[in-house]
Amino acid sequence: MDFQWESAGSIILAVILCSGICVDLSTMGLVGGVFQLGDLASLMKRQLNKLQNFYRSVLKIINDFSSGRFYRPWGSKQVTVVVSSKRHIMELSEASELSQRAVYADMFGFKHTMNNLDHNDHKVQRSRLYGRLLQVNGPVQLAQLYPRIEARLESVFLAQLKLGRQTNGWTSVPLAATIRKVASQMMGVIFFGDNVSRDPVFAAALLQYPADMVASMAAFQLTPNFLSPYVHALVTKRGRAMHTLLDYITPIVSRDPKKWDESQMIKELTIAGKMMELTEGNEYWTPDISAQALLGIWFAASHQPWMNLDFNLLELCARPEYVELLREEIGDPSRLNYAQLQDLPILDSFIKETVRMNPLDTLAIRRKALKPFNFSNGGPQVVPGNIACVSSFNLMHDEISYPNAYRFDGLRFVPTKKDNSMRGTRLTDVSEKFPVWGFGSLACPGRFHASLVMKMVLAHLVSNYDFCFEDQKARRQFRWETFTMPYEKTRVLLRPRAS
């Protein structure tokens, strides 16, 4: 069930070729016309040449894609407007003419990947619910769920280690696949509790669904819109993971206690349980709508932590001096709880610096213009259909905010007396200088959940294992469009620390 970019490339190639053939046939004019045999032969020869050229260009794209080159595989007609001042970033975040949902509906094809989601439906009501659900109530629930999340982390990680290969007293594991599985299982407890998240079919679907979303995103950009339903069906095996999740989640949110095998105490601490509590008596939130909403929250919450964890572990392998600093700060890991984990400034700073130096997307706070919009004080204009955003890379490499911005400093954010406007800021802080979480009222409400999963995994590994690269020269990342992705074949070596 693990997602492989290389195999996805093969699927996308097949889809593109099919779409190219369809386009060629539609331009041949064979329907309703009368042709001489020579004319038909000439036409077929021209179309064959076009198809051969098309095939060669697609092979180049797939080769670039699989080799991790940074490129723009399609000639987008959208104009991207980038703003940088705090005032313009606030306008970008809050303007009603600029839509966050429309950007991602286009990018990920919500109509197909989220069971016919209408991104314009009750968007204010949904945003308010998500904020209350994740940001207001989230930290309290996480503190109480901590022991169960920790138990899941330990059991799943041990299971993943057993799948690794033994080499000279070390265990070799594929980093991306291992961390993705661990993070998904931890998030499963946060969302749905202990019992259902252990179900192997449900757990596999939770793991596969975000990968299906990303694969669909890539395929949608390379094929004509009219083929989107067929592309989605091919890439996701007819939406198998999505429909499996809906089959499990819809009964859970139906408010029938017999359909959710979990203690009442745990239900009240989960995202699904809290969602039912907050929507009680609201006719809009039917079981189908609630299940659809949970699909969206799951994707938003599950795809980012594991990738940032991957990059954090790569940095620790490359910079072992920080491992000792973290071990000293953590102390006895068996005594950690939620509050103590949040009070580890070196761990918080190291993760934040890794995120700053390895942004998953070089652009952030993306918005699509639904109506013409002019930024204030002579700022740029955005016409309908175009995109406005910020450059997260540039903002997080500004020498004023981040002295020696291109040098990794895992202690950069640890509070000291040094004069630095970003020193002392925390991983989950929202700032125009650190736009990873967005900005303004639509800043990511799930950042506390993501932060907790990252800190728990790193604290567990640093405290209990020695680890290093299996191959110092192996590839570790690849770039596609504006995104940086973990390389699936990177392997690390682990062994339990000596007592």
Side-chain angles (χ1 to χ4, degrees):
M1 300 294 289
D2 290 342
F3 175 65
Q4 297 286 340
W5 279 98
E6 291 87 346
S7 59
S10 300
I11 294 174
I12 294 169
L13 172 59
V15 172
I16 297 170
L17 289 177
C18 291
S19 66
I21 292 170
C22 290
V23 171
D24 283 341
L25 291 176
S26 69
T27 61
M28 285 175 62
L30 292 178
V31 179
V34 178
F35 294 87
Q36 297 295 324
L37 186 59
D39 293 336
L40 181 58
S42 176
L43 180 59
M44 290 295 292
K45 184 177 180 180
R46 290 198 303 271
Q47 296 304 320
L48 180 60
N49 288 335
K50 289 181 180 179
L51 188 57
Q52 287 175 335
N53 292 333
F54 179 79
Y55 179 76
R56 292 190 190 99
S57 66
V58 168
L59 285 181
K60 183 180 185 303
I61 287 174
I62 296 303
N63 180 63
D64 287 350
F65 184 90
S66 61
S67 63
R69 294 179 186 172
F70 182 86
Y71 72 104
R72 287 190 62 86
W74 60 89
S76 175
K77 294 182 180 179
Q78 283 183 330
V79 175
T80 301
V81 176
V82 179
V83 297
S84 58
S85 72
K86 184 174 183 178
R87 180 169 183 171
H88 285 170
I89 294 173
M90 179 60 73
E91 293 172 1
L92 172 68
S93 303
E94 305 299 331
S96 60
E97 297 91 340
L98 304 176
S99 171
Q100 179 190 55
R101 290 175 179 270
V103 170
Y104 295 106
D106 289 347
M107 185 179 294
F108 292 104
F110 285 168
K111 182 178 180 181
H112 310 292
T113 57
M114 287 193 183
N115 200 36
N116 294 312
L117 172 68
D118 178 1
H119 64 274
N120 291 312
D121 180 40
H122 289 73
K123 56 186 178 181
V124 174
Q125 186 175 157
R126 285 184 179 235
S127 296
R128 288 175 178 171
L129 172 67
Y130 300 160
R132 291 178 62 197
L133 181 64
L134 301 174
Q135 188 166 325
V136 178
N137 296 286
V140 176
Q141 297 164 266
L142 291 173
Q144 297 178 66
L145 274 176
Y146 184 91
R148 295 177 182 272
I149 305 169
E150 184 179 42
R152 182 63 59 85
L153 160 61
E154 293 173 356
S155 64
V156 175
F157 191 76
L158 283 175
Q160 290 300 110
L161 282 183
K162 291 179 180 178
L163 299 176
R165 64 191 185 206
Q166 301 302 310
T167 172
N168 299 322
W170 295 78
T171 301
S172 171
V173 297
L175 180 59
T178 301
I179 292 301
R180 183 166 52 236
K181 181 70 171 288
V182 171
S184 179
Q185 284 277 316
M186 294 169 71
M187 278 292 184
V189 176
I190 295 171
F191 270 71
F192 305 106
D194 264 333
N195 294 337
V196 69
S197 64
R198 289 183 189 276
D199 183 296
V201 175
F202 186 60
L206 287 174
L207 186 64
Q208 184 63 36
Y209 179 63
D212 284 351
M213 290 280 287
V214 175
S216 296
M217 174 193 73
F220 290 156
Q221 308 305 324
L222 294 166
T223 53
N225 289 338
F226 74 89
L227 285 177
S228 293
Y230 310 104
V231 171
H232 177 256
L234 178 62
V235 170
T236 67
K237 299 179 180 178
R238 298 182 179 273
R240 180 185 298 175
M242 177 183 71
H243 292 300
T244 298
L245 292 182
L246 290 173
D247 288 343
Y248 277 80
I249 296 173
T250 304
I252 287 176
V253 296
S254 67
R255 305 183 192 279
D256 184 345
K258 297 180 181 179
K259 295 181 178 180
W260 189 4
D261 178 24
E262 193 66 75
S263 70
Q264 187 59 34
M265 180 190 73
I266 298 300
K267 287 180 181 179
E268 292 173 358
L269 297 176
T270 63
I271 289 176
K274 183 59 66 173
M275 183 175 185
M276 287 190 287
E277 176 187 323
L278 294 175
T279 58
E280 182 74 40
N282 189 322
E283 294 182 356
Y284 169 73
W285 290 102
T286 64
D288 287 343
I289 293 294
S290 297
Q292 185 188 66
L294 279 170
L295 273 185
I297 300 173
W298 174 258
F299 173 67
S302 62
H303 80 285
Q304 190 179 79
W306 80 262
M307 288 192 281
N308 280 319
L309 270 170
D310 184 288
F311 295 157
N312 269 272
L313 286 165
L314 292 176
E315 292 289 0
L316 283 174
C317 287
R319 308 171 194 278
E321 65 273 17
Y322 286 102
V323 174
E324 293 304 319
L325 287 174
L326 290 171
R327 285 172 177 166
E328 290 179 14
E329 180 179 63
I330 293 167
D332 183 356
S334 66
R335 298 182 180 180
L336 282 180
N337 58 29
Y338 178 81
Q340 291 168 334
L341 193 66
Q342 305 312 310
D343 194 27
L344 298 175
I346 296 177
L347 178 62
D348 191 276
S349 177
F350 185 87
I351 296 174
K352 186 167 184 174
E353 178 72 348
T354 299
V355 172
R356 184 187 76 84
M357 292 291 287
N358 301 271
L360 302 182
D361 188 355
T362 57
L363 301 179
I365 319 180
R366 297 173 187 252
R367 300 292 187 268
K368 180 179 179 179
L370 304 179
K371 298 178 181 178
F373 182 77
N374 288 306
F375 286 93
S376 62
N377 295 334
Q381 181 186 51
V382 191
V383 301
N386 284 348
I387 304 298
C389 62
V390 302
S391 170
S392 55
F393 183 89
N394 289 346
L395 290 171
M396 294 193 294
H397 287 76
D398 175 65
E399 287 288 342
I400 296 176
S401 301
Y402 303 97
N404 298 313
Y406 288 86
R407 180 176 65 85
F408 187 98
D409 179 1
L411 304 180
R412 182 182 297 274
F413 303 101
V414 175
T416 67
K417 294 181 180 180
K418 291 183 179 180
D419 184 18
N420 178 348
S421 62
M422 295 302 292
R423 188 168 292 281
T425 61
R426 298 181 62 82
L427 172 62
T428 53
D429 288 350
V430 175
S431 168
E432 78 281 2
K433 299 174 184 178
F434 188 78
V436 168
W437 306 115
F439 195 67
S441 62
L442 292 180
C444 175
R447 60 190 184 276
F448 302 104
H449 303 73
S451 170
L452 175 64
V453 168
M454 288 190 281
K455 289 182 177 181
M456 289 183 71
V457 173
L458 288 178
H460 179 73
L461 292 183
V462 165
S463 299
N464 296 290
Y465 296 90
D466 294 320
F467 48 87
C468 61
F469 293 119
E470 181 179 76
D471 179 358
Q472 287 279 355
K473 298 180 180 180
R475 287 181 53 200
R476 302 167 190 176
Q477 302 173 346
F478 77 92
R479 290 179 174 81
W480 179 75
E481 272 284 298
T482 61
F483 305 103
T484 302
M485 312 292 292
Y487 192 61
E488 289 289 330
K489 295 180 180 179
T490 304
R491 300 184 73 91
V492 294
L493 299 174
L494 299 106
R495 68 182 178 191
R497 291 183 66 200
S499 301

